[in-house]
Amino acid sequence: MQWINNGKRYGAVTIGFHWIMVVLIIAVYACIELRLYYPKESEMRSVLKAWHFSLGLSIFLLAWFRLTLRWTQVSPRIEPELSRRKHYLSKTMHSALYIFMLGMPFIGWMIFSANGKSAPFFSFDWPALIGANKQNAKLIKQIHEYGGTAGYYLIGAHATAALLHHYVRRDNTLLRMLPIKWTSSTQQPNEPPIREKHE
């Protein structure tokens, strides 16, 4: 597999960071949902919240790196080509995902700041962005919670679209981002893709 993108598929770096982000987002949601099964002030609840914060800020950092890759490398073509409307919808979806991946951790950071605390990032602390204000902290937390709920729908729509492209439209949208190379050279229009063997 090549390291950088080309006109046919994404490179190993882009693919790797895409799937790392998928795992991190799942972990962030898992931590914040699982905490509800433990009593308040319990050690396990605190551990899950700490991991939620640290992993969320990891997504914030990696999202900037992914944007840099997106701006500096070519994007593989979708074959067959999308209509103008579908191309616009695809761009809108990706823009919304990046806003989500950057915005949600940033809002979480703001919550700590408004509470007069530094944001925990594993063994480090990120400094406060704004002055302490309990009223602002409550408002920002509410926005963060609404954003988290919206994220379920956004991520679900993204995954559904990828599957529709693969199984209904039968284009190469999903194949471009798979870590294993597949080929459609001997594939019939209504047949599933064939896995290419590597020596």
Side-chain angles (χ1 to χ4, degrees):
M1 178 187 294
Q2 78 279 358
W3 287 99
I4 62 175
N5 303 352
N6 59 32
K8 293 291 185 181
R9 62 185 273 111
Y10 289 104
V13 175
T14 300
I15 291 173
F17 275 97
H18 173 272
W19 293 107
I20 288 172
M21 294 287 275
V22 170
V23 172
L24 286 175
I25 290 171
I26 292 171
V28 163
Y29 271 106
C31 287
I32 206 63
E33 295 293 348
L34 289 173
R35 90 192 193 288
L36 299 175
Y37 292 94
Y38 298 91
K40 290 185 177 180
E41 309 303 328
S42 67
E43 182 179 355
M44 191 61 189
R45 189 182 180 108
S46 297
V47 168
L48 288 170
K49 288 173 68 177
W51 274 101
H52 174 78
F53 304 142
S54 295
L55 293 176
L57 290 175
S58 298
I59 291 171
F60 180 76
L61 293 175
L62 291 178
W64 284 113
F65 185 76
R66 286 199 64 195
L67 271 177
T68 301
L69 291 176
R70 192 174 182 88
W71 290 332
T72 57
Q73 295 191 43
V74 63
S75 293
R77 295 182 299 274
I78 295 178
E79 299 174 350
E81 189 175 354
L82 297 176
S83 66
R84 181 175 297 181
R85 183 179 66 86
K86 289 180 179 178
H87 179 75
Y88 175 77
L89 288 174
S90 175
K91 291 291 186 183
T92 302
M93 171 67 73
H94 280 95
S95 296
L97 283 168
Y98 277 105
I99 291 171
F100 172 77
M101 291 186 291
L102 292 170
M104 285 296 289
F106 183 79
I107 294 171
W109 187 3
M110 293 282 284
I111 294 172
F112 277 95
S113 300
N115 278 314
K117 302 176 182 178
S118 54
F121 180 65
F122 299 108
S123 299
F124 304 94
D125 289 327
W126 288 20
L129 297 171
I130 57 175
N133 185 307
K134 293 295 181 182
Q135 191 67 27
N136 287 342
K138 289 180 181 179
L139 175 61
I140 298 170
K141 183 179 179 182
Q142 191 173 42
I143 294 171
H144 189 68
E145 290 173 351
Y146 285 143
T149 300
Y152 279 116
Y153 295 100
L154 182 61
I155 295 165
H158 179 65
T160 300
L163 294 174
L164 288 174
H165 275 278
H166 187 67
Y167 290 107
V168 178
R169 193 172 187 273
R170 294 188 177 276
D171 60 29
N172 66 338
T173 297
L174 179 61
L175 300 181
R176 299 175 308 160
M177 191 55 83
L178 292 180
I180 299 174
K181 187 175 181 182
W182 297 65
T183 180
S184 59
S185 58
T186 58
Q187 177 185 341
Q188 297 301 316
N190 293 318
E191 289 182 353
I194 303 169
R195 183 172 176 176
E196 181 175 272
K197 294 182 179 179
H198 294 277
E199 299 298 333

